[in-house]
Amino acid sequence: MPPRRENPDLAQVASEQLIAALPNIVNQVAAGLNANQPSNSEPRPPRECTYKTFRACNPKEFNGTKGAVGLLSWLESNESVLHISKCAEGNMVEYVAYLLQGRALTWWNTIVQTRGREAANRLPWEEFKKLLKEEYCPISELQKLEMELWNVEMKGDDISTYTTRFQELANLVPHLVTPEEVRIERYIWGLSPEIRGNITSANLKTIQEAVEVATKLTNNAVRSGRLTKGKRKTEEFEDRKFGRKHDRNRRTTRNFGAQSQVAGQGDVIRCDKCKVPHRGNCIICQRCHLGGHTAKDCRK
């Protein structure tokens, strides 16, 4: 039986229809492929911080034996690690709790037994810090740090030592120098009088700006001879500022804007409570509850 011949007209029509439909077919196939692949323009979700990732940032351990300074420094260090590792809020306490050793680990195990491990690990970070501070930051130690920050000041042209110690104390007790404008004001107050008078009119927005300007002014003052190299006694600065003759038997204590004079060496002794020499009852500020100044002189 002879092979069957197709109608040439029908074959031509089918070929033309196929050619016309090819662009649509290609577009549909391409769209399907693109739908199954992530778009380069869409940001990828951040990778979850695992405990391995957290430990890779070398966080410090804590054993609870170094008092308030040790705890506050440890918290500051590990908050930086939590930020760098992008640790989720829900994992912060659980990861950091593994860094507790010795006495601190015994304390944490007590918290776990009381609250349950799941509830303890899910504590908010700020609540965890509060519990640690209540355990390892005696009020007396915090008050010492606060008083040191209140009284730290620049000696002579040593701007570097003053800035370093000020920043350390400000990080340990940040509530005394918050917000930023209070930190800037307190930093400027502790500068040498020769520098302080030239920087107060500057419109400074950050503590970094204040440090840079103060350092430049200090270097210029040393080069011009207005500020002698080496350390000077605080009493000499005070005597020159207030037009007093220097007296070895008189001491001046400064408390962030408040001055109290103690005349006659041996008349009074340094108070163990407020850390300021005085007669009679302690001078306690009714605003910030710190010693050494009254509410009208309080700069907080």
Side-chain angles (χ1 to χ4, degrees):
M1 186 177 179
R4 192 176 167 187
R5 290 186 178 182
E6 296 181 359
N7 189 329
D9 293 336
L10 292 176
Q12 184 177 359
V13 170
S15 176
E16 291 175 354
Q17 290 178 347
L18 179 61
I19 292 173
L22 273 177
N24 291 333
I25 296 174
V26 172
N27 290 335
Q28 291 176 1
V29 173
L33 293 174
N34 292 333
N36 294 328
Q37 295 181 357
S39 174
N40 293 332
S41 60
E42 296 179 358
R44 294 183 178 181
R47 296 179 61 182
E48 182 180 358
C49 172
T50 63
Y51 181 67
K52 182 178 180 180
T53 305
F54 173 74
R55 291 293 303 202
C57 297
N58 297 318
K60 296 180 180 179
E61 295 180 345
F62 178 71
N63 55 23
T65 60
K66 295 183 179 180
V69 174
L71 172 64
L72 296 174
S73 299
W74 178 75
L75 287 173
E76 180 186 4
S77 171
N78 279 290
E79 283 186 325
S80 297
V81 172
L82 292 170
H83 174 72
I84 293 172
S85 62
K86 295 180 174 55
C87 183
E89 173 73 24
N91 295 330
M92 287 182 178
V93 172
E94 182 178 8
Y95 290 178
V96 172
Y98 281 107
L99 303 174
L100 301 176
Q101 302 294 325
R103 176 187 168 193
L105 179 58
T106 302
W107 167 81
W108 175 245
N109 286 336
T110 303
I111 299 293
V112 171
Q113 292 172 5
T114 303
R115 301 181 179 226
R117 184 167 299 277
E118 185 67 22
N121 288 336
R122 295 300 175 186
L123 281 172
W125 176 248
E126 292 300 323
E127 178 67 17
F128 177 70
K129 289 200 304 180
K130 180 182 177 182
L131 292 173
L132 277 168
K133 289 179 180 179
E134 289 175 352
E135 182 70 18
Y136 296 105
C137 287
I139 295 178
S140 59
E141 288 195 43
L142 285 177
Q143 287 179 340
K144 289 179 181 178
L145 293 172
E146 292 171 348
M147 188 61 69
E148 185 179 355
L149 176 59
W150 215 249
N151 291 283
V152 65
E153 58 186 8
M154 179 178 165
K155 302 296 190 299
D157 68 333
D158 197 357
I159 183 72
S160 177
T161 300
Y162 166 67
T163 299
T164 300
R165 188 55 182 161
F166 174 84
Q167 297 282 43
E168 289 174 352
L169 292 168
N171 290 334
L172 291 174
V173 283
H175 57 278
L176 282 188
V177 285
T178 303
E180 184 81 352
E181 54 264 27
V182 176
R183 181 175 297 221
I184 295 171
E185 181 183 4
R186 176 58 189 82
Y187 176 79
I188 293 174
W189 176 88
L191 295 170
S192 294
E194 295 89 344
I195 308 304
R196 190 190 316 132
N198 294 324
I199 197 175
T200 51
S201 60
N203 185 21
L204 302 171
K205 299 298 184 182
T206 65
I207 188 64
Q208 288 78 13
E209 289 181 8
V211 171
E212 292 175 2
V213 173
T215 302
K216 290 179 180 178
L217 289 174
T218 300
N219 294 335
N220 292 338
V222 170
R223 284 193 294 267
S224 64
R226 291 184 295 109
L227 194 62
T228 306
K229 275 187 171 294
K231 295 183 178 181
R232 298 181 182 179
K233 294 181 180 179
T234 304
E235 291 87 347
E236 295 175 355
F237 289 146
E238 289 298 309
D239 291 340
R240 183 171 64 255
K241 178 180 178 182
F242 295 103
R244 298 191 300 258
K245 292 183 178 180
H246 186 64
D247 182 357
R248 293 183 180 179
N249 293 328
R250 180 175 63 230
R251 292 183 299 159
T252 301
T253 58
R254 303 174 58 183
N255 289 307
F256 200 2
Q259 291 82 27
S260 61
Q261 299 180 20
V262 180
Q265 189 174 16
D267 288 351
V268 294
I269 61 175
R270 185 182 180 90
C271 177
D272 292 334
K273 185 175 181 180
C274 68
K275 309 304 180 185
V276 176
H278 62 81
R279 298 183 180 87
N281 296 329
C282 289
I283 303 171
I284 302 297
C285 174
Q286 298 302 314
R287 179 176 298 174
C288 68
H289 305 293
L290 294 177
H293 65 279
T294 59
K296 66 183 181 64
D297 295 318
C298 184
R299 300 295 293 276
K300 185 175 179 180

